[in-house]
Every structure is written in structure tokens, then in C-alpha cells.
């Protein structure tokens, strides 16, 4: 039987502030890591359209400035402050008007980050298809013609961007003035373009963040449609994310201004690891609540839906939706590692910057992993909150289910077998339904209601300390082959007891036996 997954009940939107003190091991890490599974409804939502989007829009036009409110400049040293706790990062002690003052010193034309990100995804898919085709051809299969491969000396534009004035490193006035393309090798130029993409993409990201904070979060009209808690859940610490991005971009541009032929960028990423961690972990963790809330508001709050639709028609949005702006930090932190890996790929293996780049890539990976762990812990807490509402301790001493570090491993129904001996007719076996909830530190035995999802607890024991599994000679005892013995060395009443359980299939039995036989608590996983 497959394990039951409880749908989280989001009755308290401030539940995102529940924190646990357990550690989380590194999940399997792909392009997006385990976060993609937890936030798939956000990451894969069809909320950004490419149709009719103007790519070559000035970074911050006069119309942009007039359309958005303002706030005092954020000092660059904000990014160098000591790390604060996630809880502190989520709290805004005072409201500050947001000002759209930042302008890139080297890039005058850039699309919104949604456009950049979507084109990067398409480019990635194209590369995968291209590689597969190349592999087929190299193996001499199907007589396919060799795919066209780019010349190694070709200097291409940063992946994901339409080429526009000042979007390429080689188009920078200082590069042209010094005629650097004549003195640098093609590989050197490709390395500079790869590093320049970090600046271009961060500029694009900063532009979109400014729209999100200035137009949507700064809208007085939109704010009147939300409660304070809803407003906080919807926008989270987006302002802090924007400020950290600004500091990062300023440092990158400062490096470029010092020498247009940049020697390295990995050290800048490492310097910004603390602020990155401080803002991205709480923001990504909050996204599951953010997505649930915005979906609910669009369906049930007509004033909110109309106001959002009105704001989305503003020219600065370039036909992008509110959802596409709210997902930006998730897209950026997961993309950052790929950009750094591209820089590393184009860096000479004997360069002193290789070690620095590897450290920067690892630093970003650690942040993404921490985001993933935080999301998973929050999902587990949600699951416990949902389950606690369904469990009744009637004739059994009640215990709290929501405990830091606890999570559900498996839940499902089994048969409890009772063997009775009769002098005349021999032994008979009666079967009653029993429902098990196996947590990483607790095992619950319950009766499930015939209708609905409520459970009445019959017994429980600490797991794995007080739980033992034994195989039975089922054929000799006249029991089904799917049966096994479960011993509780100390149950809820502090006594020892034994239960014969039977699964529906041998495969299901093997799964339960394997899980229940674990002698190592996995608390904190």
C-alpha cells in the first residue's frame, strides 16, 4: 500500500513562521534541487508570457520612474552586515517608501528577468536535445547527419539574452577604445563574456525586483485589499532581497569599472554569501504559503483580483503577471550556480581563480540546499498540523504530535490478526482493521473512521527504541504469508505487548518490515 500523504491545511497563514532546530541532509541536487518538487506549482506555473514582450526596453525609463513610488537609497554596506536570524529577516519593523534610483553604469538596455530566465530555460533544453543528437550521430545510429556544432572561436552573446546595445562585454566603450578584441584570444573574450553575463543577468533581475517592490508591494490600493498578515505572506522579505541584489550588482560593476578585463568574480559571490543566505532562505521557504495565498485571493477576493489585473497592465510590467514577479528570487538563486559554472568552464584550469570559483559555486549550492531543507521542514510541519486535526486520543493518554524534528515516514492500513484456540474446532484467526502512522520517532496505532479521515488512537510507542519486528512461521501457524509480529517493549501504558499484523501483499509487508526494523532514529532528516 502506498503511503498516505496528507494535504496541508493552511488555516493560519502565519504558519510559515514555525521554525525547527533540526538539521537537514543535502538532498539530491539538480538544476533546482529538491525545491522543485516542493514548489512545483510555483516554478512550473504558466504565469509569464513571451508574446508581445518588448525586449529592448531601457533599464529605468522616465515612465518607470513616474510609475513607481520611492524610498531612500539602500547603502551598499547593508550586504556586509552580520547575519540575522530568519525570523528577524521576515519582520519589517517600519515601512519605508521605495525609491527607484538605481541605474546600471554599464548596461543601458536589458529585459525583465522573466524574459531572460525563460530564454535560458529554452537554451538549456536546446543544449540537451543537441547533445543527445550529437551522441546518436557519434555512435553512427540511424544514419543521421552530423549536427551543426558552433565553432570554438565563435564569441556568442550571453545565453538567454537577445543581443542589444551594451549587452555584450565586447560592446563596452572601454573595450572598443582599447581595441581589446585584437589583443585578447577568443577564449579570453569568451571568459569575459561569461563573467559579464553575471552582471547583465543581475541587472535584469534588479530591474524586475524594482517593479515587484515598487509597483505591486508599494501599491496603496493593493494594500487596502489585504490584511497585514496577508500582505506579509504575499511579499515576504522581497524588499530585503532587492537591497541585497543591488549591493551585489554594485560590487560587480565596481569590479568592472576598476578594469574592464575582469580577473575574477568568485570572490564577490563569496563576500555576499551571508546576505544571500539571510534573504533567500526565508523567502523561498515562504513561497509555498505565498502560492496558496495568491491562488485563494484571486478566487475569493474580487477587489484584490481587479487591482492586480490593473497593475499588471502597467507598461513597466511588460505583460508579466504578479506571480511571475514573486517567483523571481527562486529563479535567480537556482540560476546563479549555472552562471558560475559556465564561468568556471571557460576559465583556464591552471588559473588561480579556479579554486575561488569552486568555492563560490559551493557557497551557492549550500544556500540552495538550505532553502530545500527549510521548505521540506515546513512541509513536514504542515503535514503534522493537518494530521493533528484528524487524530483523537479518547481512551489513550494524549501526546503532542507537532514536535520539532518529527515527520511522517509512512501511513497505511493493515490487518490486526487475533488467534484464538478452541478445544473443539482448533485455532481461529479473526481480522480487524488497524491504521499505522509511522513517524521518525513515534508509532501510532489507530482505528480509522468508516467515513472521512479521522483516526482514534488505540496505542503508541516510541520508535525505534520500543519497537521490534519479528518474522513468523506463517505456514506452521496457519497465518497468511503477509503476516509479521510487532513487539512493543513499552507502549502508551508503559507495558510490553505484541501484535500480529498482516499486509495486503508481500511487497507491502516487506516495505513495512524494513521501515519498522530500523534501529536508527532518523530525527532531523
Amino acid at each position: 500500500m502506498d503511503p498516505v500523504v496528507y494535504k496541508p491545511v493552511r488555516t493560519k497563514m502565519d504558519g510559515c513562521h514555525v521554525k525547527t532546530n533540526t538539521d537537514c541532509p543535502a538532498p539530491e541536487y539538480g538544476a533546482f534541487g529538491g525545491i522543485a518538487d516542493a514548489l512545483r506549482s510555483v516554478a512550473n506555473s504558466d504565469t509569464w508570457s513571451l508574446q508581445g514582450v518588448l525586449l529592448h526596453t531601457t533599464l529605468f525609463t522616465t515612465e518607470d520612474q513616474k510609475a513607481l513610488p520611492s524610498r531612500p537609497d539602500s547603502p551598499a554596506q547593508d550586504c556586509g552586515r552580520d547575519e540575522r536570524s530568519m525570523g528577524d529577516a521576515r519582520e519589517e519593523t517600519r515601512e519605508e517608501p521605495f525609491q527607484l534610483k538605481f541605474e546600471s553604469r554599464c548596461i543601458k538596455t536589458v529585459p525583465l528577468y522573466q524574459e531572460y530566465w525563460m530564454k535560458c530555460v529554452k537554451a538549456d533544453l536546446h543544449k540537451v536535445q543537441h547533445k543527445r543528437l550529437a551522441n546518436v550521430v557519434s555512435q553512427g545510429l540511424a544514419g543521421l547527419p552530423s549536427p551543426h556544432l558552433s565553432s570554438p572561436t565563435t564569441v556568442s552573446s550571453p545565453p538567454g539574452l537577445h543581443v542589444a546595445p551594451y549587452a555584450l562585454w565586447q560592446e563596452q566603450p572601454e573595450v572598443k577604445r582599447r581595441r581589446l578584441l585584437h589583443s585578447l584570444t577568443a577564449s579570453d573574450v569568451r571568459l569575459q563574456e561569461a563573467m559579464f553575463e553575471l552582471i547583465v543577468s543581475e541587472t535584469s533581475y534588479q530591474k524586475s525586483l524594482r517593479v515587484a517592490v515598487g509597483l505591486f508591494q508599494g501599491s496603496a490600493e493593493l494594500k487596502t485589499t489585504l490584511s497585514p498578515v496577508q500582505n506579509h505572506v504575499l511579499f515576504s522579505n522581497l524588499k530585503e532581497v532587492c537591497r541585497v541584489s543591488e549591493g551585489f550588482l554594485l560590487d560587480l560593476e565596481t569590479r568592472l569599472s576598476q578594469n574592464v578585463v575582469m580577473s575574477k568574480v568568485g570572490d564577490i559571490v563569496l563576500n555576499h554569501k551571508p546576505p544571500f543566505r539571510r534573504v533567500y532562505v526565508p523567502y523561498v521557504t515562504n513561497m509555498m504559503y505565498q502560492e496558496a495565498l495568491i491562488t485563494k485571493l484571486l478566487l475569493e477576493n474580487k477587489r484584490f483580483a481587479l487591482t492586480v489585473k490593473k497593475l499588471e497592465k502597467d507598461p513597466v510590467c511588460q505583460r508579466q503577471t504578479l506571480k511571475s514577479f514573486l517567483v523571481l528570487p527562486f529563479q535567480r538563486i537556482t540560476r546563479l550556480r549555472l552562471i558560475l559554472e559556465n564561468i568556471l568552464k571557460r576559465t583556464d584550469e591552471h588559473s588561480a581563480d579556479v579554486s575561488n570559483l569552486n568555492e563560490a559555486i559551493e557557497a551557492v549550492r549550500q544556500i540552495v540546499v538550505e532553502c530545500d531543507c527549510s521548505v521540506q521542514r515546513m512541509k513536514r510541519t504542515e503535514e503534522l498540523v493537518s494530521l493533528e486535526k484528524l487524530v483523537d486520543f479518547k481512551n489513550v493518554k494524549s501526546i503532542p504530535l507537532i514536535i520539532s524534528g518529527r515527520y511522517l515516514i509512512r501511513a497505511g492500513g493493515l490487518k490486526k490478526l487475533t488467534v484464538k484456540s478452541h478445544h473443539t474446532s482448533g485455532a481461529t484467526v479473526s481480522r480487524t482493521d488497524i491504521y499505522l502512522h509511522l513517524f521518525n520517532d513515534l508509532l501510532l496505532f489507530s482505528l480509522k473512521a468508516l467515513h472521512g479521515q479521522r483516526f482514534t488512537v488505540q496505542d503508541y510507542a516510541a520508535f525505534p527504541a520500543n519497537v521490534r519486528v519479528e518474522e513468523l512461521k506463517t505456514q506452521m501457524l496457519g497465518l497468511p504469508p503477509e503476516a509479521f509480529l510487532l513487539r512493543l517493549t513499552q507502549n502508551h501504558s508503559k507495558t510490553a505487548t505484541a501484535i500480529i499484523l498482516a499486509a495486503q501483499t508481500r511487497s507491502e509487508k516487506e516495505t513495512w518490515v524494513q521501515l519498522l526494523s530500523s534501529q536508527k532514529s532518523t530525527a532531523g532528516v
Side-chain angles (χ1 to χ4, degrees), residues 48 92 187 192-193 267 372 382 385 430 469:
W48 41 95
E92 294 180 4
S187 61
Q192 292 302 313
E193 293 290 4
D267 59 321
D372 178 84
E382 282 282 291
V385 170
S430 61
V469 179

Side-chain angles (χ1 to χ4, degrees), residues 94 251 451-452:
R94 65 178 185 276
D251 284 353
H451 303 287

Side-chain angles (χ1 to χ4, degrees), residues 216-377:
F216 291 101
Q217 189 174 6
S219 170
E221 183 179 1
L222 185 63
K223 201 168 187 177
T224 61
T225 69
L226 303 169
S227 70
V229 171
Q230 289 175 332
N231 185 73
H232 177 70
V233 172
L234 189 62
F235 294 105
S236 189
N237 60 331
L238 193 60
K239 285 184 180 179
E240 283 295 305
V241 174
C242 187
R243 293 183 183 115
V244 166
S245 169
E246 177 185 341
F248 180 51
L249 181 55
L250 287 172
D251 284 353
L252 289 172
E253 291 195 335
T254 298
R255 175 65 54 83
L256 181 67
S257 66
Q258 292 170 349
N259 189 344
V260 73
V261 181
M262 294 177 286
S263 60
K264 59 182 179 180
V265 292
D267 59 321
I268 298 178
V269 176
L270 287 173
N271 290 339
H272 284 265
K273 179 184 176 181
F276 281 168
R277 178 182 177 275
R278 171 169 55 82
V279 300
Y280 281 110
V281 173
Y283 189 90
V284 174
T285 303
N286 179 67
M287 282 177 62
M288 57 188 288
Y289 299 93
Q290 184 186 72
E291 170 70 5
L293 176 62
I294 193 170
T295 300
K296 178 181 175 67
L297 290 171
L298 289 173
L299 291 174
E300 301 176 7
N301 188 330
K302 186 176 181 180
R303 286 183 59 223
F304 173 82
L306 291 174
T307 304
V308 167
K309 189 174 182 179
K310 174 183 174 183
L311 293 173
E312 289 174 347
K313 290 181 179 180
D314 192 291
V316 298
C317 286
Q318 299 183 29
R319 301 185 183 181
Q320 301 294 337
T321 66
L322 172 59
K323 281 188 176 183
S324 76
F325 283 99
L326 295 179
V327 80
L328 289 171
F330 170 69
Q331 293 173 340
R332 182 56 180 170
I333 194 61
T334 52
R335 191 77 204 172
L336 186 56
R337 181 191 180 190
L338 301 180
I339 295 175
L340 293 173
E341 287 177 342
N342 186 47
I343 296 173
L344 178 62
K345 178 181 177 181
R346 300 182 183 283
T347 301
D348 186 276
E349 61 181 355
H350 302 295
S351 171
D353 195 38
V354 169
S355 175
N356 187 264
L357 276 171
N358 279 321
E359 289 181 26
I361 292 170
E362 176 61 19
V364 175
R365 189 197 70 84
Q366 289 175 4
I367 293 173
V368 175
V369 167
E370 187 172 351
C371 288
D372 178 84
C373 290
S374 184
V375 169
Q376 297 301 331
R377 285 195 296 266

Side-chain angles (χ1 to χ4, degrees), residues 155 169-170 175 178-185 189 193:
V155 178
W169 175 84
Q170 59 190 280
V175 174
R178 293 170 55 182
R179 299 175 62 84
L180 292 174
L181 293 183
H182 297 279
S183 59
L184 296 177
T185 65
V189 174
E193 293 290 4

